[in-house]
Amino acid sequence: MRRELLLVFVAAVALYLPTTRYGFVQDDRAIIASNPGAHSIGAALAAFNDPYWPRESNAGLYRPVTILSYAVDWTVAGGRAGWLHFMNAVWHGLATVLLVAVLARWLPALAAAAAGLLFAWHPVHVEAVANLVGRAELLVAVGILGAVLAARRRWWIVAVGCAALAMFSKEHGVIAGVVILLDKWLQPADDPPYPAGFWIALGIVTLGYLAAWFAIGWAGENDAAAVFYGRSTLGRLAVALPAVLRACVVLFWPVSLSSDYGPRVIPAYGGLSFAAVVGLLVAVTVPVILIRCRRRAPAVSFAAGVAALSCLPTANLFFASGVVLAERNLYLAAALPAAIVGAGFAWLELRQRLRPAIAALALLALGCGARSLIRMPAWSDNRAQVLTLLVEHPESYRGHASAAAVLAGRGDTAGARHQYHLADSLFAGDPYLDASHAIFLLGIGDTAAAAPLVARIRRRSVGVADRTGLRARFLLQLQRGDRSGAMAVRDTARLRFPGDETWYHNYLQ
């Protein structure tokens, strides 16, 4: 299959070559550009006991291999963003090749390549590949698929190493062992069993990763999207199930894409809704596909299992995660539509209808490629990202909050006020937004407007938002002339966020 593998690799990389002109966008700045641990290999190795996000943010997570990959690129290219973007395209190409190699056990060569081509050009991948912090998704995919292939070939050490690569790149890499088990379940009954020593080694690595994650990356209640604050289990599902439906739509009809799927891009329902019912049906259907297709279409069964497992950690079905939905988290899930296309191609090929199969694939692939190219500039820089979000999804409160911060930084007080007001009118349940809004108002001397926001923060502030909320409370006390109250807030902040001491000291001089 060398020719087919080369084809899909070149297709995957070539599509994203325009991103080599892009810079650091949004989270890229905090995770890469401003992170000393990502600027040299030695610093990255020394930071293996540090969380993914800067410690002072209290946002947690643990992805040391991802940071190490940035450090290698930074060392090679001297911090040029273009090289990091090129390497994202290369990792995407490698993940595509590995997927084709995995599916080739059940599909003919051309059909497996057809699945790989659709996966390579699927529009949902734009965020993961064009945005540098999406590197974590690419590394996880390479690790999991590589582990599956290595286990098939009885390369036990390589398989365990690939699984470790996946886990230490991002949290959902912990499913690597389950995916290997799924692949083994799909093999013929006469396939020799994997030795117990392999499973034991895989279990030890998994437990070791979980121990490291809870010791270093655990952020407690910090790691939950604002829409889930104060919600019961049913309230959480009222938001999570419509998000499952939206994920299905994005995977199979990727026309309307977004960098934000918070309220009201996905409505924050308070109870049972039609979207929740359909989302529940989708969640039930995927395992059914996995089981029913085991013998008839094992490639589809495998892809369904990988899609379900990779989405589960952030699906909010069993616990609240930090996002309602993110396209980058659907990277491996795109294997499901790709495998369905591959199975359809194989069905036509078997009936000697190769030309119609190639024609249909060409139309589908070109449509996906064109949609990806159109979507790509949205991640070229911060300005493009915010403007695209505002134009395509004016209902996104995060879009207006980002615009308010930009306008405030440019000194456009009236514009910033207006955008903050729009953001608050769209969703008034984000304490981080309240804190940012209050700090802006206090910066222009509007204490009367800031006070209700600070009061609202104190009633519901949790997790990551506490840092900004404490700053807002501190500034309000200072402007009211209550220096002792400000000092009390400062003392609280010093205990919880030691890295902020200089910030408070500058105001107390």
Side-chain angles (χ1 to χ4, degrees):
M1 286 190 64
R2 292 179 182 177
R3 183 174 55 187
E4 288 82 0
L5 294 178
L6 179 62
L7 169 66
V8 296
F9 178 80
V10 171
V13 175
L15 180 69
Y16 286 95
L17 287 180
T19 65
T20 57
R21 302 192 302 268
Y22 297 175
F24 297 103
V25 181
Q26 297 294 341
D27 292 347
D28 295 348
R29 295 179 178 271
I31 298 300
I32 306 171
S34 302
N35 181 10
H39 296 172
S40 72
I41 297 174
L45 293 174
F48 257 62
N49 63 340
D50 288 337
Y52 179 69
W53 286 97
R55 285 191 180 275
E56 60 271 16
S57 70
N58 206 32
L61 303 183
Y62 185 58
R63 303 170 186 175
V65 170
T66 300
I67 298 297
L68 178 60
S69 76
Y70 297 138
V72 172
D73 292 347
W74 194 282
T75 302
V76 170
R80 291 193 297 272
W83 176 258
L84 277 84
H85 280 288
F86 174 72
M87 288 307 299
N88 261 27
V90 171
W91 283 110
H92 174 52
L94 181 56
T96 304
V97 165
L98 291 172
L99 177 65
V100 173
V102 169
L103 297 181
R105 168 161 285 193
W106 304 297
L107 298 175
L110 280 179
L117 185 59
L118 185 78
F119 182 84
W121 286 2
H122 198 295
V124 81
H125 290 334
V126 172
E127 180 176 336
V129 185
N131 190 207
L132 290 175
V133 293
R135 172 79 60 87
E137 312 296 336
L138 312 178
L139 293 175
V140 168
V142 168
I144 290 176
L145 297 173
V148 168
L149 286 172
R152 286 180 181 177
R153 289 162 173 74
R154 271 58 180 177
W155 299 344
W156 309 122
I157 296 177
V158 175
V160 173
C162 286
L165 165 68
M167 294 179 207
F168 287 88
S169 295
K170 192 178 178 183
E171 293 73 25
H172 68 273
V174 77
I175 69 171
V178 184
V179 175
I180 293 173
L181 188 62
L182 168 65
D183 180 70
K184 188 70 182 70
W185 178 68
L186 291 170
Q187 302 313 322
D190 59 353
D191 190 63
Y194 294 168
F198 167 66
W199 295 114
I200 293 172
L202 197 58
I204 290 173
V205 170
T206 303
L207 291 174
Y209 165 74
L210 291 173
W213 190 88
F214 279 103
I216 300 172
W218 173 248
E221 61 183 356
N222 300 5
D223 190 23
V227 70
F228 297 120
Y229 292 167
R231 283 181 176 260
S232 64
T233 299
L234 292 178
R236 170 170 49 78
L237 292 175
V239 175
L241 289 173
V244 171
L245 172 61
R246 188 63 170 269
C248 181
V249 172
V250 169
L251 285 172
F252 288 92
W253 188 249
V255 175
S256 178
L257 302 172
S258 177
S259 59
D260 173 47
Y261 286 94
R264 299 182 179 176
V265 181
I266 295 178
Y269 296 105
L272 185 67
S273 63
F274 176 75
V277 173
V278 179
L280 178 60
L281 290 176
V282 170
V284 171
T285 299
V286 174
V288 171
I289 292 174
L290 187 156
I291 296 171
R292 293 294 300 273
C293 292
R294 181 185 181 187
R295 297 306 181 199
R296 298 177 182 178
V300 175
S301 181
F302 175 83
V306 169
L309 290 168
S310 63
C311 291
L312 197 59
T314 55
N316 303 298
L317 296 177
F318 299 104
F319 53 85
S321 72
V323 295
V324 176
L325 175 65
E327 289 169 14
R328 61 184 178 274
N329 291 339
L330 299 177
Y331 185 81
L332 267 174
L336 179 53
I340 291 174
V341 167
F345 190 99
W347 184 82
L348 290 173
E349 185 181 4
L350 182 64
R351 283 154 181 77
Q352 298 182 351
R353 297 180 180 178
L354 188 58
R355 287 186 178 180
I358 292 175
L361 174 66
L363 287 174
L364 189 58
L366 288 174
C368 287
R371 181 69 184 98
S372 295
L373 285 171
I374 293 171
R375 179 66 182 168
M376 228 172 280
W379 293 98
S380 59
D381 54 44
N382 282 335
R383 180 177 182 275
Q385 194 271 330
V386 173
L387 289 178
T388 302
L389 179 58
L390 287 173
V391 170
E392 295 181 347
H393 295 281
E395 73 276 20
S396 167
Y397 86 93
R398 291 183 184 276
H400 292 286
S402 298
V406 172
L407 292 172
R410 296 175 58 183
D412 186 350
T413 302
R417 278 181 179 271
H418 177 63
Q419 292 296 325
Y420 272 126
H421 175 72
L422 285 175
D424 191 68
S425 67
L426 290 168
F427 180 65
D430 190 338
Y432 184 84
L433 171 62
D434 289 342
S436 301
H437 190 183
I439 289 174
F440 161 72
L441 293 171
L442 292 168
I444 60 176
D446 193 347
T447 306
L453 291 171
V454 174
R456 194 160 71 180
I457 293 167
R458 296 192 68 176
R459 289 196 301 270
R460 67 187 183 199
S461 181
V462 295
V464 178
D466 280 352
R467 185 187 184 205
T468 313
L470 287 169
R471 289 185 176 190
R473 288 171 55 190
F474 171 80
L475 292 175
L476 179 62
Q477 298 288 13
L478 280 185
Q479 289 205 11
R480 286 175 167 175
D482 185 359
R483 189 175 179 85
S484 61
M487 292 288 287
V489 174
R490 190 277 308 267
D491 292 340
T492 301
R494 287 173 64 184
L495 293 174
R496 298 191 57 189
F497 307 101
D500 279 7
E501 184 168 354
T502 302
W503 186 90
Y504 287 96
H505 179 72
N506 290 335
Y507 281 95
L508 293 173
Q509 286 182 334

